[in-house]
Amino acid sequence: MVEERLKFIEEEIRNLQESKLFINIRTIESPVDAWMVVDGKRVLNLCTNNYLGLANHPVLRQAAKDAIDRWGVGPAAVRSIAGTTSLHLELERRLAAFKGVEAALYVQSGFCANQAAIPVLVGKEDCIFSDRLNHASIIDGCRLSGAKILVYEHANPEDAERVIRENIGNYRRGLLVTDGVFSMDGDIAPLDKLYEVAARYGVLTMVDDAHGEGVLGRGGRGIVDHFGLHGKFDIEMGTLSKAFGVVGGVLAGKKLIIDYLRQRARPFLFSSAVTPPDTAACLAAVDLLESSTELVDKMWANASYFKGEMKRLGFDIGQSVTPITPVMLGEVAVAKEFSRRLFEEGVFAMALGFPTVPRGAARIRVMISAMLSRDDLDLSLAAFHKVGKELGVI
Ligand SMILES: *Cc1c(COP(=O)(O)O)cnc(C)c1O
């Protein structure tokens, strides 16, 4: 019997179920790798953001184990209060060097990084210019700042310029913030043009490179490197939980800004640090990326093969220019059935529908990674071919 005051929750959950928006989360019973045990079945993984296969990489596993022996398992405090380990500082130095910026701040997650940075840069008297399709963590960071949020059309520098021109005079200062790679479509922000516009009006700039780090740029140095905009974008925010395979967020940029974030960013000041084993594993990931581009190259080769073959089979794979491959299916029901059938065929690829993507634009999002062998890719292509024919999609 649900108590009276909790009845609204019961009702909300029923609404979610009835409108098919209730999320049923599958259970993984193996490390995240090319093949995983999901809900008791061994399936090929086309779902995770483990672009380079680092989440279960032997070098990272070893680094984490060694760090436990040296440092223990927990940070036991907020870094600004009880001190910060040299391990965390070392990671920050290495990330800054990898990305070609003056300084970096390592925080608990990418989500946290957006909450940490945006409210420090702008407040009530300011405004934010935000891409229509920006990630939820950017939107929440913007809301938290109290600044006026002004949305411009997706990846559209002309519209960004219009919104800046019409509004900037009414505020103390402005911040332009955009995803680098948009994770639902795999397209990228025209960062060079956005920078020109922002620079013309003296607007601060920030890019969320969560899906670009370890993916775009030379050896995975990210979207700023991809566009050759070093020293221009004020803040690069990133995550160590996608291509880097571990966990944590990073804010990178000029030393002045990073030093200030250390004084003011609330998730840094009021929440404990990432654990030593995680931090050490991140360091090992940076080592790997700096020592060789092999994994990044393999991921791109896999993406190019898979996307070419999917097009040849007759699938609509949208506008992606990254390893994120949306397989456009239209109605949610079709996408869900497609995903269910793929799972039966031993391929784990999730269906995404409204409200994650617009109505009528439901899709299966395939995340191509360096983990996959040519045989794995051929097996998944065969499954897409079979199910696509069966459901009349191709
Ligand atoms: C995943 C993601 C984040 C959050 O990163 P976490 O490290 O998982 O918290 C932030 N922004 C974008 C664009 C993302 O895709």
Side-chain angles (χ1 to χ4, degrees):
M1 190 49 206
V2 173
E3 295 146 89
E4 192 57 36
R5 67 179 185 287
L6 301 177
K7 283 249 163 74
F8 74 100
I9 298 178
E10 206 180 29
E11 197 168 308
E12 290 294 339
I13 288 179
R14 199 163 41 239
N15 286 343
L16 287 174
Q17 283 162 338
E18 279 166 9
S19 50
K20 306 261 182 267
L21 294 177
F22 190 85
I23 304 165
N24 291 301
I25 303 172
R26 293 189 184 273
T27 306
I28 302 174
E29 281 157 309
S30 64
V32 170
D33 229 317
W35 289 85
M36 304 196 294
V37 179
V38 179
D39 288 348
K41 187 176 162 74
R42 188 169 174 271
V43 287
L44 189 60
N45 168 18
L46 300 185
C47 267
T48 59
N49 301 318
N50 189 25
Y51 287 106
L52 303 175
L54 298 183
N56 189 39
H57 193 287
V59 171
L60 273 72
R61 288 168 65 124
Q62 192 57 49
K65 289 178 191 167
D66 293 347
I68 290 175
D69 291 342
R70 163 102 204 269
W71 299 96
V73 291
V78 166
R79 291 172 64 190
S80 58
I81 293 178
T84 180
T85 69
S86 54
L87 185 67
H88 289 81
L89 294 175
E90 170 72 0
L91 176 62
E92 289 172 341
R93 269 195 299 275
R94 295 290 305 283
L95 283 170
F98 178 66
K99 296 182 72 67
V101 295
E102 289 173 10
L105 178 65
Y106 179 45
V107 295
Q108 298 88 345
S109 72
F111 197 100
C112 242
N114 281 325
Q115 318 290 295
I118 298 171
V120 174
L121 298 173
V122 284
K124 281 196 194 63
E125 298 151 85
D126 307 317
C127 63
I128 295 171
F129 306 104
S130 176
D131 186 289
R132 180 171 296 288
L133 298 187
N134 272 349
H135 189 260
S137 61
I138 300 180
I139 296 171
D140 284 9
C142 292
R143 287 181 181 153
L144 209 51
S145 75
K148 174 77 178 170
I149 302 166
L150 301 158
V151 171
Y152 62 86
E153 290 309 323
H154 173 54
N156 186 332
E158 288 80 32
D159 197 51
E161 162 134 44
R162 180 189 62 77
V163 180
I164 295 174
R165 192 179 56 239
E166 289 174 3
N167 292 283
I168 190 73
N170 301 327
Y171 298 91
R172 182 179 61 176
R173 59 174 171 267
L175 166 71
L176 182 141
V177 58
T178 182
D179 270 37
V181 177
F182 291 85
S183 58
M184 293 301 137
D185 291 286
D187 59 332
I188 63 181
L191 221 57
D192 46 352
K193 302 214 172 63
L194 289 170
Y195 171 72
E196 275 173 31
V197 169
R200 207 172 304 143
Y201 293 88
V203 165
L204 292 161
T205 47
M206 171 165 171
V207 60
D208 175 336
D209 202 19
H211 284 275
E213 250 163 5
V215 175
L216 292 174
R218 292 166 304 140
R221 282 169 173 73
I223 193 166
V224 167
D225 189 82
H226 172 82
F227 279 104
L229 289 172
H230 295 279
K232 296 196 165 154
F233 255 70
D234 292 312
I235 295 226
E236 283 176 67
M237 165 271 163
T239 174
L240 294 127
S241 35
K242 287 175 176 147
F244 280 74
V246 194
V247 74
V250 58
L251 292 155
K254 293 193 175 64
K255 184 170 176 303
L256 177 75
I257 300 174
I258 303 304
D259 284 350
Y260 185 47
L261 289 176
R262 270 184 221 280
Q263 301 300 314
R264 298 292 307 280
R266 292 167 71 84
F268 178 73
L269 297 173
F270 295 101
S271 179
S272 298
V274 178
T275 71
D278 288 321
T279 309
C282 289
L283 261 171
V286 179
D287 282 341
L288 277 180
L289 284 171
E290 283 193 334
S291 66
S292 159
T293 62
E294 189 187 329
L295 291 172
V296 179
D297 296 343
K298 174 143 185 252
M299 170 194 59
W300 281 101
N302 280 353
S304 138
Y305 175 70
F306 183 81
K307 288 160 99 173
E309 292 301 300
M310 285 293 279
K311 275 192 212 153
R312 217 172 50 76
L313 290 174
F315 285 102
D316 172 3
I317 56 166
Q319 308 304 318
S320 170
V321 293
T322 61
I324 297 172
T325 310
V327 182
M328 308 306 288
L329 296 167
E331 292 313 311
V332 178
V334 179
K336 287 207 162 153
E337 177 59 12
F338 207 115
S339 169
R340 195 189 63 75
R341 282 287 298 115
L342 282 176
F343 196 80
E344 281 177 359
E345 297 292 323
V347 173
F348 184 28
M350 279 307 282
L352 299 170
F354 184 80
T356 311
V357 295
R359 276 185 213 280
R363 67 199 64 180
I364 296 221
R365 184 181 62 164
V366 174
M367 305 299 283
I368 293 296
S369 67
M371 297 180 276
L372 305 169
S373 67
R374 183 55 70 91
D375 283 350
D376 294 336
L377 292 168
D378 286 338
L379 187 146
S380 50
L381 287 162
F384 267 97
H385 182 66
K386 181 173 177 191
V387 177
K389 285 278 182 218
E390 209 176 278
L391 299 183
V393 173
I394 50 168

